[in-house]
Amino acid sequence: MIKSIIKTEQFRNEPNFAELVSDIARIKSDWLAPNAFDGLEDTSRDFLLIMLETGCRAGDLTGLAPCDIVLDDPIPHICIGDSIRSKNPDSQRKVPLVGLSLAAANRHPDGFPDCRGYHTLAKLRRFFDRKNLNPGSAPLLAFLRAQYYYRFMCGCHAGIPIVEEMMGWRRVYVLNKPTSLAERQRLATLIMYPVPPHLA
């Protein structure tokens, strides 16, 4: 449990954490606006949207093979770590696709072979600089992960063990029974962003 508490404190101690994680309204009004991503290729945009809606690391998505993106299941999801060596065994997980992430995955059923993790993040950061969309001074990936953590903890009132499962953290406090994919989908639906028509 000690490591879990440390992980939580790391998020809370991020520079401008309170500002970053409470910026949900700005994401809805600015990031999801009709012309927000004009000038950015669709692949990078959808890569961002999946990270925003799932809390996944960039490396989780760059390693996805077509067989890892399961869209014809009653619960659409991605299988992290099935086709690549994961950062840690607990990174191997099934992540439900809802809202923006499901729409983005439907547009890219073969994954993101042209995206290269931090290279793509750097490209997004430069784009956000030009469009004045950057979320403060924190690295974009740190913001996306912290923002998802905040929404999940506050919107679902979930405990740290479930957050660890959803985000692929190295688990110290292990649940007696893993959270089912159906329950993960239910929780993800509670905090998902609205999907505007231009991103549906």
Side-chain angles (χ1 to χ4, degrees), residues 6-53:
I6 291 174
K7 180 77 73 171
T8 303
E9 290 304 313
Q10 286 174 342
F11 271 109
R12 293 190 184 280
N13 292 331
E14 285 286 342
N16 303 318
F17 178 83
E19 174 188 349
L20 297 180
V21 298
S22 61
D23 211 10
I24 295 174
R26 187 185 178 217
I27 288 176
K28 290 179 180 179
S29 63
D30 294 359
W31 290 27
L32 305 184
N35 301 318
F37 296 116
D38 285 359
L40 181 68
E41 64 269 24
D42 292 351
T43 300
S44 295
R45 177 202 65 197
D46 288 338
F47 189 84
L48 170 76
L49 293 178
I50 292 182
M51 286 194 294
L52 174 68
E53 198 69 284

Side-chain angles (χ1 to χ4, degrees), residues 75 96 98 152 155-158 162 166 179-192:
I75 302 176
V98 300
F152 200 89
C156 301
H157 304 289
I162 295 179
M166 295 287 284
T179 308
S180 68
L181 184 59
E183 176 64 5
R184 295 182 192 194
Q185 181 192 49
R186 185 188 73 81
L187 294 172
T189 301
L190 291 176
I191 62 169
M192 70 181 189

Side-chain angles (χ1 to χ4, degrees), residues 23-145:
D23 211 10
I24 295 174
R26 187 185 178 217
I27 288 176
K28 290 179 180 179
S29 63
D30 294 359
W31 290 27
L32 305 184
N35 301 318
F37 296 116
D38 285 359
L40 181 68
E41 64 269 24
D42 292 351
T43 300
S44 295
R45 177 202 65 197
D46 288 338
F47 189 84
L48 170 76
L49 293 178
I50 292 182
M51 286 194 294
L52 174 68
E53 198 69 284
T54 64
C56 285
R57 304 175 183 89
D60 291 335
L61 302 183
T62 55
L64 290 176
C67 62
D68 297 326
I69 303 174
V70 186
L71 299 173
D72 57 356
D73 190 82
I75 302 176
H77 62 277
I78 52 178
C79 300
I80 303 296
D82 281 9
S83 299
I84 59 171
R85 180 181 298 175
S86 298
K87 182 178 180 180
N88 65 69
D90 293 322
S91 289
Q92 298 181 15
R93 64 199 189 280
K94 293 182 178 180
V95 179
L97 297 168
V98 300
L100 291 167
S101 64
L102 179 57
N106 278 324
R107 290 189 287 269
H108 300 277
D110 295 327
F112 298 90
D114 296 329
C115 291
R116 291 293 179 267
Y118 288 102
H119 172 75
T120 300
L121 288 174
K123 180 193 299 184
L124 288 167
R125 186 84 193 195
R126 290 192 297 270
F127 174 81
F128 275 31
D129 280 338
R130 293 197 304 271
K131 301 278 282 190
N132 195 30
L133 293 173
N134 261 323
S137 59
L140 183 59
L141 179 58
F143 169 77
L144 293 170
R145 298 266 290 168

Side-chain angles (χ1 to χ4, degrees), residues 164-181:
E164 287 180 334
E165 275 193 316
M166 295 287 284
M167 299 188 71
W169 285 345
R170 191 181 304 278
R171 295 195 293 273
V172 176
Y173 187 90
V174 181
L175 296 168
N176 292 330
K177 182 179 180 181
T179 308
S180 68
L181 184 59

